[in-house]
Every structure is written in C-alpha cells, then in structure tokens.
Amino acid sequence: MLSKFLLTCTMTASVEESSKTRRWSKYVRDVYDPIQVGSIDGTDEVPHDRALVRAMNSTYRPNRKVRGEPLHTIFVARLAHSVTEEQLRAKFTPFGTIVHARLVTDIITGLPRGYAFIEYSTREEALRAIDRMHGVSIDGKEILVDEEWERRLDGWKPRRLGGGFGGRKKSQQLRFGCKLQPFRRPILETAGGVSSVSEWNRRVRHRQEEEPDRAIR
C-alpha cells in the first residue's frame, strides 16, 4: 500500500514538473538554446540554417571585462566606428544615471568594434533606454539596443557565432525569444492540424515545392 502511494506521488510530481517544463513563454528563460531561438515560436527540434549549426558547435566564454549588475546593463550594437564613448553617454544619459559605459575596442588596433555595454543605476532605467533607443540612428547607422544576455543565460552564443537575438529578415537568420523579438504563441494541436507556427510554415513551403511537380505531370 505504501509503495503504491509513493509511486502515485512520484508520478504526480513528474507530471507537474513536465507541465512546468512545457509552459510557454514569450522569452527565453535561463538557458540559451540555438535551435529554440531560431524558431519563431520556440518549438523547432532541428536547426533550419547553417549559422545555428555553427552556434551549436561553438564555445563561448562571457567577456570578463563586462562588469556591474547584469539586470541593469544594456547591450548597444551596430555602432558606426566613428562613435565615441562621449557620444554614447550623451545619447543615453537622458534615460537615467549611467554607472559605467564601455565602448569595446580591438585589443591589437585599439579601434572600436561597433558595440558597447552601458550600466544604469536601476533596471527601470535600462529598460527605458532599450525602449527609446533601439532603432535610433547615430552617425548614420541604425543601432540595436537590447538587454545584456551573456551573463544571464547559460550557453549564450553571440551573433558572430551564429546565435544572438533579433536580426534582419533579409539575412534569413532571425533569432527569437527576446524583448525585441519575442516568440509567437504556438498553434494548438488539433485533429489533422499542426502543432506550431514553424510546422505550419514548413508545410506551406512543402506544398509550394510540390506544385511545380504536379504541373509537369
């Protein structure tokens, strides 16, 4: 009787844990999975572009020079090489108190690498800067502004290794699960239906590929 009770408890706990694991979220939580972020709804099980395969096979160590509170820190990218740290401070100071700002430079040449980290005194200030500055042009280039993820997500892979978040449509390498580009809610499983947006898109592409063959026949 006791063993049956314990088995029932174990099965119940297992179901509850499984339910928690499957709970859908618009954002990536805790762990960065290249296959998941490459999917519009986070449901893909295989990589759909070569860059994702590169991200899966790569090794990345967070930048030790990035300091401060991760939740208060923002990542600024796609910066023109002419942008200086003073310019960055001037552009981002209106949204809160900047504790630290670092324009990343090449170790050998000393030239800017096109991205920076800015830490604010509060998380609210950081989020305000993201909302107001993402997509703004500085020195003729539209910048990307997002949260600083590499110290917050296990397994993080930056854009240059095929990972990251966001991206442009024309690149065919969009990455989802972030504030700027959240996951779309999966399509619910129905009889004869599909389980996700990704599966729906795959079926549409498959039908389009089959149509020319049918016309030839």
Side-chain angles (χ1 to χ4, degrees):
M1 192 73 177
L2 178 59
S3 60
K4 186 176 180 180
F5 172 74
L6 291 174
L7 178 60
T8 302
C9 290
T10 302
M11 291 176 66
T12 302
S14 178
V15 169
E16 289 177 352
E17 183 62 32
S18 177
S19 175
K20 289 177 183 177
T21 302
R22 290 196 304 268
R23 189 168 54 191
W24 181 82
S25 170
K26 291 194 295 184
Y27 310 116
V28 170
R29 291 177 172 174
D30 303 322
V31 177
Y32 184 88
D33 178 358
I35 295 179
Q36 181 190 28
V37 301
S39 169
I40 194 170
D41 55 10
T43 62
D44 279 8
E45 297 180 356
V46 294
H48 66 75
D49 66 57
R50 292 180 179 178
L52 289 175
V53 176
R54 188 168 76 250
M56 292 167 62
N57 294 329
S58 65
T59 300
Y60 179 74
R61 294 179 181 175
N63 191 330
R64 293 179 181 178
K65 292 184 179 180
V66 180
R67 66 189 193 191
E69 171 54 58
L71 290 172
H72 299 178
T73 304
I74 64 173
F75 173 68
V76 185
R78 299 178 190 160
L79 290 168
H81 292 299
S82 57
V83 174
T84 64
E85 187 176 306
E86 289 70 27
Q87 278 181 284
L88 278 180
R89 285 181 175 275
K91 293 287 185 181
F92 284 87
T93 293
F95 310 107
T97 303
I98 294 179
V99 176
H100 180 72
R102 176 172 171 261
L103 182 63
V104 180
T105 57
D106 187 273
I107 298 176
I108 298 175
T109 65
L111 297 174
R113 296 185 61 182
Y115 63 96
F117 296 94
I118 299 175
E119 181 191 359
Y120 283 94
S121 60
T122 68
R123 178 160 175 74
E124 289 70 27
E125 293 172 344
L127 294 176
R128 187 184 308 135
I130 292 171
D131 289 336
R132 299 289 296 277
M133 289 300 290
H134 177 67
V136 170
S137 290
I138 299 179
D139 280 10
K141 285 194 69 175
E142 187 178 294
I143 65 172
L144 177 151
V145 185
D146 198 358
E147 298 188 51
E148 189 256 293
W149 293 110
E150 65 178 56
R151 291 182 295 164
R152 293 171 52 192
L153 294 177
D154 288 340
W156 168 256
K157 302 293 172 61
R159 192 72 187 181
R160 60 185 171 82
L161 294 180
F165 279 128
R168 296 187 174 97
K169 259 187 181 177
K170 62 181 180 180
S171 72
Q172 298 295 309
Q173 294 179 4
L174 295 175
R175 303 292 181 256
F176 301 88
C178 62
K179 180 178 174 61
L180 304 176
Q181 199 151 264
F183 291 125
R184 294 185 187 178
R185 184 175 290 279
I187 298 173
L188 295 178
E189 185 73 55
T190 58
V194 295
S195 59
S196 69
V197 175
S198 300
E199 178 62 22
W200 171 265
N201 290 334
R202 278 194 288 271
R203 293 192 183 188
V204 170
R205 287 196 299 271
H206 183 64
R207 285 198 297 270
Q208 291 172 341
E209 290 169 358
E210 284 187 334
E211 285 174 359
D213 293 337
R214 290 173 181 169
I216 293 173
R217 293 172 191 168

